[in-house]
Amino acid sequence: MAPKDPARDTSAGPAPAAAPPRDFLDASSDAAAIVSGEGVVLGWTRGAEVLLGRPASEMVGAPAARVVAMSRDPARVAGVVERCRAGMGWNGVITLRRSDGRAVDVDLRVSASFRVGGDECFLLSGRERRPQWTVGQTVLDGFLTRSPIGMAVLDLELRYLWLNDTLERFGGIPREQRLGRRLSELLPGLQATTIESLMRKVLETRVPVTDYEYLGWSWADPHRQRAYSTSFFPLLDAADTTTGVCYMVQDVTERWTARRLLMLVNEAGTCIGTSLDVLGTAQELADFAVPRFADFVVVDLLEPVLSTEGHGAWLTDAGPAPVRPLLRRAGMSSVREGCPEAVAQVGETAGFLPPPHGLNLLVEGEPILLPVLDPSDDLWAAAEPERAERIRRFGLHSLISVPMRARNTALGVTTFIRSLNPISFQPDDVLLARELVARAALCVDNARRYTREHTAAITLQRSLLPQALTGGTALEVASAYLPADPSGGVGGDWFDVIPLSGARVGLVVGDVVGHGITAAATMGRLRTAVQTLADMELPPDELLAHLDDLVLRLSGEKTDDEAAQRSSASFLGATCLYAVYDPVTARCTMARAGHPPPIVVAPDGHVSFPEPPAGPPLGLGGMAFEATEIELAENSVLGLYTDGIVEGADGDMERGMSRLGDLLSRSDADLAALCSSAVEQLVPVPQPDDIALLLARTHRLGADQVASWDVPLDPSAVAEIRSRATRQVAAWGLGDDLAMTTELVVSELVTNAIRYAEPPIRLRLIRDAYLTCEVADASSTAPRLRHARSTDEGGRGLFLVAQLTERWGARYTADGKIIWAEQEIPAPAS
């Protein structure tokens, strides 16, 4: 097989370039065969089968010349063989014929001869030759000239030597005017100085600069700023000498705009909606957009959105003719101090919608783009004459109005206007405006919903807390309450002062676990329960036991509403302290359920913390509560509080209780001032817990306000007891009418006690805010009010008492019970 001369011409077209040299032993993908010195094939590889389509069974033993597709040249073959026998090998191009008759050019290599046994052999390997086409000068010139990337070549003085059509189009300056001149002489507004300094650095260091982005204007589009990405690299000659610099420019305005949009929207997420305040959110939107996006921004919201009443939204489906709400200015900002462009100020009725649009724009409309504002337009002149005058005066020239909607709710409209910025708004800017307004609309809607629900929660809590506290003549009371949320949030702390029979007063303070409307609602239920149980005249320990049962039931309530289940599950219990003060005996009975002990400040300033058994918090169940009784001197101050006031920043309750005692021990005749001063000093900054403080200054009923008599167990004694009571009422100067009704009440209550109760029996009259008649006995049988028939001889006693008095009832003591009735003391005649 004679190898082909490698210098031969193989085609009439563009000359194929020589294949790059390869390692002779790199035959991983080559066709290979072993040929004997006589030209017979001894071995045929799989690669050879693939290249020529001839299997080994056909070729082994056959002459290699049968696959050669070119004229024979015995002399050249002899020369190749001689070279290979000399140990140098040979390579060149040869044309072979495939089994299908197609000719294929192969880069052939012939190894130095070697022997197998006594026979001389040669290793032939090759691969198909694939032409590598060269690019002609005409093709290269066309590519450089028409490339979508702008390109230029500058000399060592940074003067233009050559540029393509794309760069000429980018700059808007004809090629003839550029050649021989520098960039800074042609486009001074295109950061030319910075770009030339980069090119000088490339010439000095020979280090390319790639993908340098910048903004600028060109003569091709002088009214719009565009973004460009430029790369610079040095030009070197054959002697490795720097001859100039080449730069390539690509217009990346769209990419830059998209990136700017994303960055602005992300930045807006951190700047807009930082508080749950509608007006604050609207102002944040205006402040963010100026001057980043516009020179003057106004945010106008529908009046219902700013209202805390009703639904807080414009219900467009409220009927065939829904009320047309007003737009009110909620926020605005300007590059000019004081927003002189504005016709309406924040809080005023705005009503601005670009004519001819109406309120339907807020519900169904798309953003409005007015690239050019013309104040002389008839629509502006007729519908908005004052605004047309401001447009003319301040040079407002371009506008975008975007309806604010969130969760299918119309909220208002935001208007962006440019004046100092000479670039008019473009369609791309509408996308950014829409994104900014959409993000702000969600924040406004969240604030609207929060404000409405927060107002409802505060209203609920205020209605649940006592509106006015009175301790009668027995106690002077003052209170202070601070929720955990400094803006007037909702918590679970509560307190109350409850008038009881016999001139006694009940004092209660409690703390429901958690915050928010659930805690407030639970607090209201517990407060109502305490009032009800107190009216049943239960002693403090029994009252807490009943309250504990109620909390257990509340915690175990089930509901089908999953959200309500989660809300209910957050309520785990409460703490409470209940005390009853008796001004007749000057003694106070108290019990507590996991609550801090009360504080007592004696008239001399001595501070003590009487500690009734703590008891478990409400809601645990299974444990008893114990009551403690203490005596309080006249003008002592009794303080009930929640843990928030004594925990403080350090969380040390003992230290907090000591600080509270020091503050309350100061002599201050005004109890309300003492209460507020203590809270202000103990809690100077908002705390994470609610705070309640209830102070009561004790007073004792004098001996001249109480009269009592032992009652013999003899019906004949009723007349004498009745007479004594009548004389006492007369001695107190309470009038004949009160004396007469007192006589009847005493007669009925004493008679019933003698007839049905057990001795000892005692009558007591108390003159306080009411005239109270009490009959005590050793029986635990409860009285029962019944309506007697007309033929009955008795059974009308308690019914008569109920008709003659303001209220009546019974309470149990350790020795029995007390039946009491109260009569209102008429005001003295003026």
Side-chain angles (χ1 to χ4, degrees):
M1 179 174 64
K4 183 180 178 182
D5 187 347
R8 70 177 178 83
D9 185 14
T10 61
S11 69
R22 295 188 300 129
D23 189 347
F24 173 74
L25 296 177
D26 182 15
S28 59
S29 60
D30 289 357
I34 297 177
V35 180
S36 70
E38 289 77 20
V40 178
V41 177
L42 302 178
W44 192 258
T45 66
R46 176 63 180 168
E49 292 183 0
V50 173
L51 176 63
L52 299 179
R54 300 178 185 272
S57 59
E58 176 187 338
M59 293 302 302
V60 174
R66 67 183 297 182
V67 298
V68 177
M70 54 188 297
S71 58
R72 299 177 182 272
D73 188 351
R76 178 171 288 279
V77 172
V80 171
V81 171
E82 183 179 352
R83 178 183 177 87
C84 293
R85 285 174 176 166
M88 292 182 289
W90 177 88
N91 67 287
V93 179
I94 187 172
T95 303
L96 303 179
R97 188 173 306 281
R98 291 174 48 85
S99 60
D100 57 5
R102 183 171 62 88
V104 56
D105 289 340
V106 175
D107 285 322
L108 182 68
R109 296 170 183 80
V110 182
S111 71
S113 64
F114 59 92
R115 292 189 176 274
V116 177
D119 298 329
E120 182 183 34
C121 299
F122 300 89
L123 174 64
L124 283 69
S125 64
R127 65 172 54 180
E128 182 178 2
R129 182 181 180 86
R130 300 187 182 277
Q132 296 184 352
W133 301 98
T134 58
V135 180
Q137 186 64 38
T138 303
V139 175
L140 180 61
D141 290 344
F143 166 73
L144 294 175
T145 302
R146 296 174 179 82
S147 169
I149 298 176
M151 290 182 282
V153 175
L154 289 77
D155 62 14
L156 297 177
E157 299 298 325
L158 302 183
R159 293 186 296 256
Y160 280 99
L161 298 175
W162 173 88
L163 68 152
N164 67 354
D165 294 348
T166 305
L167 186 62
E168 183 180 18
R169 186 172 63 254
F170 281 171
I173 300 176
R175 180 183 283 103
E176 295 76 14
Q177 296 182 22
R178 284 202 186 213
L179 296 178
R181 304 179 68 183
R182 291 171 47 182
L183 179 65
S184 57
E185 299 172 353
L186 300 168
L187 295 169
L190 200 66
Q191 298 189 13
T193 303
T194 303
I195 294 173
E196 287 186 346
S197 66
L198 286 174
M199 289 190 288
R200 289 192 184 94
K201 183 177 180 181
V202 169
L203 290 174
E204 294 171 1
T205 64
R206 293 191 175 188
V207 177
V209 173
T210 60
D211 202 23
Y212 171 72
E213 289 190 2
Y214 59 93
L215 297 175
W217 286 267
S218 70
W219 291 111
D221 190 5
H223 300 294
R224 184 183 182 190
Q225 194 175 41
R226 306 192 68 86
Y228 299 98
S229 174
T230 305
S231 297
F232 311 91
F233 57 91
L235 296 177
L236 307 176
D237 60 14
D240 199 35
T241 302
T242 303
T243 59
V245 64
C246 177
Y247 75 82
M248 297 184 294
V249 182
Q250 186 175 5
D251 189 330
V252 293
T253 303
E254 292 186 3
R255 184 179 75 187
W256 181 85
T257 301
R259 190 168 60 211
R260 172 173 171 261
L261 170 63
L262 182 60
M263 292 176 58
L264 276 177
V265 170
N266 288 339
E267 187 179 355
T270 62
C271 298
I272 302 174
T274 60
S275 66
L276 289 172
D277 178 73
V278 174
L279 291 176
T281 303
Q283 187 60 48
E284 285 174 348
L285 170 59
D287 291 339
F288 177 82
V290 174
R292 291 179 178 90
F293 182 63
D295 299 322
F296 177 48
V297 176
V298 294
V299 182
D300 298 330
L301 299 180
L302 291 164
E303 215 165 25
V305 176
L306 299 171
S307 173
T308 58
E309 300 178 358
H311 296 274
W314 178 28
L315 301 180
T316 57
D317 56 352
V323 177
R324 309 294 283 181
L326 296 176
L327 283 166
R328 194 169 293 277
R329 184 63 44 86
M332 64 180 180
S333 183
S334 172
V335 292
R336 298 179 176 89
E337 185 176 357
C339 300
E341 307 97 325
V343 171
Q345 300 301 311
V346 173
E348 297 179 355
T349 302
F352 173 62
L353 293 170
H357 303 279
L359 286 176
N360 62 319
L361 168 69
L362 305 181
V363 182
E364 304 170 351
E366 290 294 314
I368 299 170
L369 169 63
L370 299 179
V372 178
L373 279 179
D374 183 5
S376 62
D377 186 278
D378 292 340
L379 285 175
W380 284 94
E384 299 286 344
E386 188 173 3
R387 287 188 171 88
E389 189 274 332
R390 300 292 174 94
I391 292 173
R392 185 180 298 105
R393 187 199 312 176
F394 295 103
L396 311 181
H397 64 82
S398 191
L399 172 148
I400 296 177
S401 282
V402 183
M404 295 188 72
R405 291 191 292 267
R407 303 182 180 97
N408 296 322
T409 301
L411 302 173
V413 63
T414 300
T415 302
F416 305 89
I417 301 177
R418 283 181 177 171
S419 57
L420 299 183
N421 186 339
I423 307 302
S424 297
F425 285 120
Q426 302 297 322
D428 289 346
D429 295 318
V430 176
L431 298 177
L432 175 56
R434 187 198 292 267
E435 287 294 328
L436 293 178
V437 173
R439 185 175 291 269
L442 281 176
C443 297
V444 168
D445 191 50
N446 289 339
R448 174 187 69 86
R449 290 167 179 259
Y450 170 79
T451 301
R452 180 162 48 91
E453 295 174 4
H454 187 63
T455 301
I458 293 175
T459 303
L460 170 64
Q461 185 181 37
R462 288 175 179 172
S463 67
L464 295 176
L465 289 174
Q467 304 302 308
L469 298 176
T470 177
T473 58
L475 294 174
E476 176 188 351
V477 293
S479 64
Y481 175 80
L482 287 177
D485 184 350
S487 63
V490 182
D493 289 10
W494 93 94
F495 55 90
D496 211 346
V497 178
I498 306 171
L500 302 174
S501 63
R504 298 171 307 131
V505 179
L507 302 171
V508 61
V509 65
D511 184 358
V512 174
V513 173
H515 305 286
I517 195 168
T518 302
T522 303
M523 171 268 288
R525 299 174 77 172
L526 295 184
R527 178 173 178 255
T528 301
V530 170
Q531 289 178 332
T532 302
L533 295 172
D535 283 343
M536 295 172 63
E537 303 285 356
L538 295 179
D541 53 341
E542 292 186 26
L543 183 145
L544 291 183
H546 284 281
L547 200 61
D548 184 50
D549 292 338
L550 172 63
V551 173
L552 281 173
R553 288 197 301 273
L554 292 177
S555 299
E557 285 181 347
K558 302 296 183 183
T559 175
D560 294 335
D561 183 23
E562 183 179 352
Q565 282 183 349
R566 290 194 301 267
S567 179
S568 177
S570 64
F571 168 57
L572 300 177
T575 64
C576 182
L577 189 152
Y578 179 62
V580 176
Y581 174 68
D582 189 342
V584 177
T585 62
R587 301 190 69 80
C588 181
T589 306
M590 63 185 71
R592 60 185 178 132
H595 204 81
I599 182 173
V600 175
V601 181
D604 60 0
H606 175 71
V607 177
S608 62
F609 290 90
E611 294 199 20
L618 299 174
L620 296 183
M623 300 180 68
F625 300 94
E626 298 182 36
T628 297
E629 188 175 81
I630 61 174
E631 185 171 354
L632 298 175
E634 177 82 6
N635 290 322
S636 296
V637 174
L638 175 66
L640 280 64
Y641 53 90
T642 55
D643 55 6
I645 198 172
V646 294
E647 282 182 341
D650 54 7
D652 190 334
M653 289 194 62
E654 291 188 3
R655 184 179 300 177
M657 292 166 64
S658 177
R659 290 195 295 263
L660 177 62
D662 292 341
L663 292 172
L664 296 183
S665 63
R666 301 173 184 176
S667 58
D668 195 332
D670 188 345
L671 195 64
L674 180 64
C675 184
S676 60
S677 174
V679 171
E680 290 175 0
Q681 295 186 56
L682 286 172
V683 193
V685 295
Q687 297 293 328
D689 198 6
D690 308 316
I691 293 167
L693 176 63
L694 176 63
L695 299 182
R697 179 174 284 135
T698 63
H699 300 294
R700 187 167 186 172
L701 295 183
D704 59 337
Q705 294 178 275
V706 181
S708 61
W709 302 274
D710 291 328
V711 178
L713 197 63
D714 183 359
S716 62
V718 174
E720 176 61 23
I721 294 298
R722 184 173 57 211
S723 176
R724 291 180 181 180
T726 304
R727 288 195 298 271
Q728 183 62 59
V729 173
W732 282 338
L734 299 181
D736 295 338
D737 292 341
L738 203 57
M740 182 182 302
T741 56
T742 301
E743 182 180 9
L744 292 173
V745 170
V746 168
S747 177
E748 293 296 336
L749 295 183
V750 171
T751 299
N752 282 345
I754 294 174
R755 181 177 299 174
Y756 302 111
E758 299 178 4
I761 301 173
R762 189 170 183 79
L763 170 68
R764 183 170 71 170
L765 294 182
I766 301 174
R767 177 175 62 86
D768 187 36
Y770 293 88
L771 176 60
T772 304
C773 175
E774 295 181 345
V775 176
D777 60 60
S779 171
S780 59
T781 305
R784 183 167 63 90
L785 177 66
R786 63 187 180 91
H787 295 273
R789 292 172 296 182
S790 58
T791 57
D792 291 343
E793 295 182 359
R796 298 178 177 84
L798 288 179
F799 180 77
L800 181 62
V801 170
Q803 296 298 313
L804 294 174
T805 60
E806 289 291 318
R807 61 177 189 149
W808 73 279
R811 69 177 183 269
Y812 294 91
T813 65
D815 302 324
K817 71 175 182 297
I818 296 175
I819 310 298
W820 55 269
E822 290 180 352
Q823 300 177 76
E824 185 175 358
I825 299 177
S830 56

